[in-house]
Amino acid sequence: MIIEDVICPFCGSLCDDLTVEVKDNEIAGIENACKLGYSKMMGYEHDRYERPLKRVGDEFKEISYEESIEEAAKILYNAKSPLLYGWASTSCEAIERGIELAVKIGGVIDQTATVCHGPTVLGTQEVGKPSCTLGEVKNRADLVIYWGCNPFHAHPRHAERYSTFTKGYFTKKGRTDRKIVLVDIRKTDTEGICDRFIQIEPGSDYKILTSLIAIVMGKEESIPEEIGGVKKEELLGLAEEMKHANFGMVFFGMGVTMTGPKYKNIAALERLVRELNRHTKFSLMPMRGHYNVAGAGAVFTWRTGFPYAVDFRRGYPYYNPGETTSNDLLTREEVDAMLVVASDPGAHFVNSSVRRMAKIPLIVMDPHPSATSELADLIIPTAISGVEMDGTAYRMDDVPIRFKKLIDSKFKSDFEIIGDIIEKIEKRGVKD
Ligand code: SF4
């Protein structure tokens, strides 16, 4: 059976033009996916947990699915300060149930933006986000700036489908109708598809962005001859190109969100784009990594009013990044149990957090072994969303897209497992 228009469940580009061949309930071939998407979808069977596992001493013991749900419910119900973390690589439907679980157990629920584009959210809350869809970029953008990101490796088909090579309504010739600029601290492979590379000193994004704002506002006399390793002349040239584009676009990554003053970088970038809109049409967009991290932010926001790090321990949603964010809670040793869904914080969190995760009861819901599951006390295998389960995800431009189930699975989905845990918790009665 050939399935067309399949959505790739790997990165935030959510490419929707894959063709998948299914034979005897197995994926036999994939067309149009990049290496990242191909290896996730073709390798779906590789190295999977077959049954739920419970840690007994230094070893894992196989247990039944029912026992694993009972155990998970017991751990979360008995915890005073449980943390539910992950959610960026699962469906919006599962995320919504995760929030329901957090409310029932009076815990904190956080998602992976806390360690990637959380500062983007804060900048947006301060300044606002002048943005657009990837379709508008494809059809209109004649100046594209990649800032602190490396789509060549992290979003391999982004340039081909949306931002560089693709032909659109007003960009009929594709690549030759666009000017492409890379701003980064070092040359990456993305430089190979760009017309211009501007190398900046590490941590100097804020200085350069605020200098560009001054230039665009006509106050270039306030800028020194060199700033952040970039000559004033080069910044004047970039600002001119920006002002004279018909439709300019900035795609930015963690090279901006996680350096220097972090969210202030994003607020400055958003101010720059706002200033540019006095001269022409300009937009910006974060390069979201996990395929549904944008969906996690959307679901959190519509259900709780806050995009991540939402604390229900007081009985109502409370949000204060730096206080209720996962690494801060774990480092302060406030968390006394943790559920990790579709994520690997053991590989990405700071040492002090990982040390805390190793000490507390840790439940991991994942199809595959990971650095986090090595620390787990309970592992519940899951079906893979986008391969074995359908659902909804949000592309990096916040467009919701329905992804398909391609094959049947013997495992339950995140949505079903969270639902089973909630049912068990409800049987235990209302928590104090
Ligand atoms: S660019 Fe991203 S969404 Fe597109 S095929 Fe590659 S991994 Fe999948």
Side-chain angles (χ1 to χ4, degrees):
M1 177 177 53
I2 302 292
I3 308 176
E4 294 189 324
D5 303 327
V6 171
I7 314 296
C8 172
F10 190 94
C11 84
S13 302
L14 281 185
C15 297
D16 56 4
D17 60 346
L18 276 57
T19 301
V20 175
E21 186 184 359
V22 174
K23 272 190 198 154
D24 300 327
N25 199 43
E26 284 184 6
I27 294 181
I30 302 173
E31 283 175 20
N32 296 340
C34 70
K35 276 186 191 168
L36 300 178
Y38 185 89
S39 60
K40 175 168 181 178
M41 296 174 85
M42 278 306 274
Y44 74 101
E45 272 191 315
H46 178 69
D47 202 15
R48 286 186 81 156
Y49 285 119
E50 283 297 317
R51 269 169 284 281
L53 298 173
K54 180 181 174 181
R55 187 181 290 280
V56 180
D58 287 339
E59 304 211 323
F60 282 115
K61 183 181 141 222
E62 285 187 2
I63 56 174
S64 69
Y65 177 74
E66 288 69 30
E67 287 172 318
S68 73
I69 297 299
E70 185 64 53
E71 183 69 15
K74 188 174 90 186
I75 291 171
L76 294 173
Y77 187 85
N78 290 335
K80 286 201 161 38
S81 188
L83 171 64
L84 314 183
Y85 178 80
W87 312 105
S89 293
T90 189
S91 67
C92 289
E93 292 79 359
I95 298 166
E96 193 171 23
R97 275 208 165 158
I99 293 167
E100 193 186 334
L101 176 60
V103 173
K104 290 219 182 291
I105 58 175
V108 180
I109 186 160
D110 198 8
Q111 48 117 340
T112 55
T114 197
V115 286
C116 60
H117 276 283
T120 302
V121 174
L122 299 181
T124 300
Q125 286 168 342
E126 188 168 293
V127 180
K129 186 171 78 173
S131 195
C132 62
T133 65
L134 286 170
E136 286 177 272
V137 177
K138 172 185 168 174
N139 286 307
R140 294 173 184 277
D142 60 347
L143 172 64
V144 173
I145 300 171
Y146 297 118
W147 196 308
C149 58
N150 185 7
F152 191 91
H153 288 293
H155 304 81
R157 295 188 68 215
H158 189 278
E160 163 209 326
R161 278 178 54 82
Y162 309 113
S163 53
T164 301
F165 300 107
T166 183
K167 293 176 182 165
Y169 191 81
F170 297 108
T171 49
K172 290 196 170 49
K173 290 191 240 149
R175 177 66 184 88
T176 49
D177 268 345
R178 304 175 201 275
K179 192 158 275 182
I180 311 292
V181 179
L182 173 67
V183 181
D184 212 335
I185 59 166
R186 70 174 77 85
K187 258 189 194 177
T188 61
D189 287 329
T190 296
E191 190 264 345
I193 61 168
C194 294
D195 298 296
R196 180 127 71 101
F197 170 53
I198 299 177
Q199 185 161 15
I200 64 172
E201 283 170 1
S204 65
D205 303 72
Y206 186 76
K207 283 192 273 190
I208 289 170
L209 287 164
T210 47
S211 300
L212 282 168
I213 294 171
I215 295 169
V216 172
M217 291 174 78
K219 300 192 187 314
E220 62 258 34
E221 69 281 357
S222 60
I223 307 302
E225 283 310 307
E226 186 176 321
I227 186 151
V230 185
K231 296 253 179 300
K232 178 176 181 176
E233 207 179 309
E234 192 156 21
L235 290 183
L236 289 171
L238 178 61
E240 276 307 296
E241 266 179 304
M242 288 169 136
K243 284 188 334 195
H244 290 102
N246 290 319
F247 185 112
M249 187 70 207
V250 185
F251 290 105
F252 63 98
M254 286 171 62
V256 194
T257 65
M258 285 291 156
T259 52
K262 296 187 177 180
Y263 98 90
K264 286 288 181 191
N265 288 340
I266 310 306
L269 182 53
E270 285 163 340
R271 279 199 185 95
L272 171 62
V273 170
R274 206 168 64 183
E275 276 311 314
L276 284 164
N277 274 283
R278 296 182 201 279
H279 300 269
T280 184
K281 173 79 183 143
F282 228 96
S283 274
L284 87 171
M285 195 179 297
M287 296 290 272
R288 306 309 297 269
H290 298 290
Y291 78 88
N292 197 24
V293 65
V299 178
F300 273 51
T301 305
W302 86 55
R303 289 309 306 265
T304 73
F306 304 114
Y308 64 106
V310 188
D311 184 350
F312 289 99
R313 289 176 297 176
R314 294 163 174 82
Y316 55 85
Y318 172 77
Y319 159 78
N320 189 18
E323 180 190 350
T324 57
T325 22
S326 299
N327 270 310
D328 300 281
L329 291 167
L330 285 161
T331 301
R332 290 200 307 270
E333 305 200 343
E334 266 181 50
V335 177
D336 60 354
M338 186 169 173
L339 169 68
V340 175
V341 179
S343 181
D344 191 10
H348 300 108
F349 276 10
V350 295
N351 274 346
S352 49
S353 295
V354 178
R355 273 200 296 275
R356 182 65 183 167
M357 285 163 57
K359 278 188 194 154
I360 58 178
L362 177 65
I363 308 160
V364 171
M365 286 171 48
D366 206 301
H368 305 289
S370 65
T372 308
S373 68
E374 288 296 309
L375 306 172
D377 297 283
L378 180 65
I379 298 165
I380 308 177
T382 63
I384 301 174
S385 303
V387 177
E388 298 165 327
M389 273 306 143
D390 56 3
T392 310
Y394 278 59
R395 207 168 56 184
M396 64 170 70
D397 53 354
D398 294 322
V399 171
I401 295 180
R402 186 84 190 157
F403 56 83
K404 299 178 181 179
K405 174 180 171 176
L406 307 174
I407 52 174
D408 294 324
S409 174
K410 63 183 178 186
F411 301 104
K412 289 204 182 195
S413 67
D414 297 321
F415 175 79
E416 292 166 312
I417 297 169
I418 301 282
D420 290 342
I421 295 172
I422 289 174
E423 208 175 286
K424 280 271 182 270
I425 283 177
E426 280 173 343
K427 284 193 182 141
R428 287 170 176 261
V430 181
K431 239 180 117 171
D432 292 338

